[in-house]
Amino acid sequence: MSQENLARTTGDRKINQLTFRLGPLGAAIPLLFFVIWAITTSVLQLSSEIGLVLGAVFGITLGLFFCKSKWADYAQGGLFDGLAQPIGVVAMVAWFYAGMFAQVLQVGGLVEGLVWIGSITGFTGGLFVGMTFVLAAVFSTAVGTGYGTTVAFCTLMYPAGGCNGS
């Protein structure tokens, strides 16, 4: 087996440059697609982790069609090498932890508990919104992702706020 084939098989080959149709705009299309997808699903109140992952996969696939380089180079240089960067890994892990934590809290009955606390303490309207803001700020510093916080708090606090008349 030649050195080139071995490097390609093991993923050790470094991709220095990818070329795209439409130049830099073509390279940005996957990201632009994902941002538009995320905004649209949020505005339509359809945001979820699965929906965002689906948007990311569609964006990555769209990038394949704009890439002039080999698709294997796009996968190696654009995806595997890019996702192996420490900042990308930290962001993805924080996002997944935020989603898992939200699911645990939801299954554990946090919404019902918040409704109960709100009804006993009188936290309705602005007080509940203020408490939600403080909790979201603390949560976002713990998990390190703003969008993960938004997904978590939309599924947890929105129903509780609606029940409390906020």
Side-chain angles (χ1 to χ4, degrees):
M1 183 179 268
S2 71
Q3 288 295 337
E4 174 66 25
N5 286 339
L6 181 63
R8 184 179 47 192
T9 304
T10 59
D12 289 338
R13 191 177 72 166
K14 296 293 179 200
I15 307 301
N16 294 325
Q17 182 178 1
L18 293 172
T19 56
F20 288 87
R21 291 174 182 83
L22 305 177
L25 177 64
I29 285 177
L31 178 63
L32 293 172
F33 176 84
F34 177 72
V35 168
I36 292 169
W37 178 279
I39 290 171
T40 303
T41 58
S42 295
V43 167
L44 295 175
Q45 297 179 357
L46 300 172
S47 65
S48 71
E49 279 188 62
I50 294 170
L52 291 174
V53 169
L54 185 63
V57 169
F58 284 157
I60 290 169
T61 305
L62 190 61
L64 282 172
F65 295 112
F66 282 94
C67 185
K68 285 184 186 177
S69 304
K70 293 181 182 178
W71 284 9
D73 291 346
Y74 176 77
Q76 178 67 41
L79 299 178
F80 300 129
D81 290 346
L83 293 176
Q85 298 290 325
I87 191 71
V89 173
V90 168
M92 285 187 298
V93 169
W95 191 31
F96 288 135
Y97 277 140
M100 288 186 293
F101 189 63
Q103 286 296 111
V104 167
L105 292 176
Q106 192 172 21
V107 170
L110 179 70
V111 173
E112 292 84 5
L114 290 170
V115 170
W116 176 75
I117 287 174
S119 65
I120 290 204
T121 61
F123 271 27
T124 59
L127 286 173
F128 187 82
V129 171
M131 180 184 73
T132 301
F133 176 78
V134 171
L135 289 173
V138 171
F139 184 80
S140 69
T141 58
V143 297
T145 171
Y147 207 84
T149 302
T150 303
V151 170
F153 271 73
C154 283
T155 59
L156 296 173
M157 301 305 264
Y158 187 75
C163 290
N164 281 337
S166 299

